[in-house]
Amino acid sequence: MNTRRPGVNYHWKCRGIYNRSVTEKMLKIKKLICGTIFLLFVIYGWQVQAQSAEVWVFFRPDIPLHADTVNHLKNKTTENLIFCPVGKTSLSFLESRPPACAVVLGDAAQELALSMLWKVKILVTLLDQPATDKRVVFLNTKQPVAKQMQLLKTLRKNLETVWYPYASERFAPDAALEEAATSAGVTIKSSSLDNPRSLPAALRYLNLSSTAAILPPDPGIMNDAIIKAILLASFRSHTPLAGFSDGMVRQGAAFAYVLRPERLAEAISEKIAEMVNDQHALAPTSNFERWELILNATILEKFNLVIPEEVRREAKKVY
């Protein structure tokens, strides 16, 4: 015998229909809210992009320092970066519209950027000689010879002579080196090693008392035969040598001021802000200052040279 009251099933059916109706309405409301939030984010993104200046960055993607600097630059500025790799950027794109300003890494990138017809500021760096173009702003990243000279003078109190070997005319002693030497009260003795047979005679400078050495990043002397001979002569004569890379310090150089891509990206981002906000305040030339000191304390101690505490604190890495 069926003991359930009439209308009970109907009540539960109605309740189920009501619950489904409420659920569907809630889903619709949630979808509406999510859609509204997404739309607000899109609008906000458009506004931010509209407020950001468009900056074209010219570089060679096959050069690790260029590629690493560009990757770090992405996180250092809020401007809208448009990457223009050499060999992959068409002239039609360069003619399409003017950027707010441009950044150039290296000689090949400078040549490409200067093909633009737009009268905008172009920051160039990681090259020896900027183009004579009124649009160009130069960030000089040559080795900081003044800092090298000063540190050598600090380590060797009686320093009188600095030996400077080179092979390419591009790295021959220039005005900046002579000015740094004069300021430090030392004499430069340079040796051209374009002929490797001249190396043994040139190494005799390291046997002189009150002497130190500076090695430029010259590809002409960057081979094992020359570098090992110079480092060995430096070690035997207890003559401190300023290198230019972390690897050279590990091999036996006394120290090096190293350019890191993240530090270069910081300097470039500051220049971008100046170019975007106040171009008239830009100096046509400035020097990169964020060098990182790498110190070989083991070698210096073997040379019986005292390392001041402030020098140790300045060093980012000590071997």
Side-chain angles (χ1 to χ4, degrees):
M1 181 177 177
N2 187 0
T3 58
R4 284 185 288 186
R5 291 176 296 171
V8 171
N9 289 339
Y10 175 78
H11 168 76
W12 285 105
K13 285 180 181 179
C14 291
R15 187 171 180 179
I17 293 171
Y18 172 78
N19 288 339
R20 283 197 300 272
S21 177
V22 170
T23 303
E24 289 173 358
K25 287 182 179 179
M26 291 298 294
L27 288 173
K28 287 180 180 179
I29 292 171
K30 286 181 179 179
K31 288 180 180 179
L32 183 61
I33 292 173
C34 291
T36 304
I37 293 173
F38 175 76
L39 185 60
L40 289 173
F41 272 115
V42 170
I43 293 171
Y44 176 75
W46 284 343
Q47 289 177 340
V48 170
Q49 190 170 9
Q51 292 171 359
S52 299
E54 189 170 281
V55 180
W56 293 359
V57 182
F58 297 83
F59 68 104
R60 280 184 54 181
D62 59 317
I63 298 179
L65 179 57
H66 292 198
D68 292 343
T69 301
V70 166
N71 285 332
H72 285 290
L73 188 58
K74 296 175 185 176
N75 301 319
K76 302 294 183 182
T77 179
T78 58
E79 307 301 346
N80 183 24
L81 302 179
I82 304 297
F83 299 110
C84 306
V86 174
K88 298 180 181 180
T89 303
S90 66
L91 291 177
S92 60
F93 170 77
L94 300 182
E95 296 171 355
S96 63
R97 63 187 184 276
C101 60
V103 173
V104 163
L105 307 182
D107 294 285
Q110 177 179 241
E111 184 178 352
L112 177 61
L114 290 178
S115 65
M116 292 190 302
L117 300 178
W118 315 113
K119 294 182 179 181
V120 297
K121 288 297 183 182
I122 303 174
L123 175 69
V124 301
T125 190
L126 295 181
L127 44 73
D128 295 324
Q129 189 63 43
T132 54
D133 189 301
K134 292 182 179 180
R135 298 173 294 175
V136 167
V137 178
F138 182 41
L139 177 60
N140 183 11
T141 54
K142 287 184 179 180
Q143 282 289 296
V145 288
K147 294 173 73 72
Q148 291 173 320
M149 207 77 72
Q150 191 57 51
L151 183 51
L152 287 172
K153 186 87 172 178
T154 299
L155 295 170
R156 173 155 278 182
K157 304 296 184 183
N158 61 343
L159 182 65
E160 296 177 359
T161 305
V162 172
W163 179 54
Y164 182 87
Y166 67 97
S168 311
E169 281 302 313
R170 172 186 166 196
F171 290 94
D174 58 9
L177 181 66
E178 295 294 345
E179 183 180 343
T182 301
S183 179
V186 301
T187 302
I188 296 292
K189 296 291 185 182
S190 60
S191 299
S192 176
L193 303 180
D194 56 339
N195 182 358
R197 294 181 180 179
S198 62
L199 179 60
L203 289 175
R204 293 173 187 169
Y205 281 117
L206 295 178
N207 295 324
L208 301 175
S209 60
S210 308
T211 300
I214 293 178
L215 280 186
D218 185 348
I221 60 176
M222 289 303 104
N223 63 70
D224 285 346
I226 294 179
I227 290 298
K228 286 183 178 179
I230 292 175
L231 289 173
L232 181 59
S234 165
F235 182 78
R236 286 175 173 172
S237 62
H238 285 196
T239 301
L241 186 151
F244 55 83
S245 68
D246 193 320
M248 188 166 288
V249 175
R250 290 199 303 270
Q251 290 181 63
F255 66 86
Y257 284 102
V258 177
L259 185 152
R260 302 289 189 198
E262 55 267 37
R263 302 286 85 82
L264 178 58
E266 290 173 359
I268 291 174
S269 68
E270 291 179 1
K271 290 295 180 183
I272 289 175
E274 291 180 35
M275 289 191 292
V276 170
N277 299 319
D278 188 6
Q279 295 189 0
H280 299 292
L282 274 172
T285 300
S286 58
N287 294 322
F288 176 75
E289 300 290 349
R290 292 175 168 84
W291 298 96
E292 292 191 359
L293 175 61
I294 311 297
L295 198 63
N296 192 330
T298 304
I299 283 291
L300 290 170
E301 288 169 3
K302 287 182 178 179
F303 291 178
N304 296 318
L305 296 175
V306 178
I307 306 171
E309 274 306 311
E310 60 270 20
V311 174
R312 283 185 181 272
R313 287 194 298 269
E314 180 191 352
K316 295 295 182 181
K317 189 181 294 184
V318 178
Y319 290 108

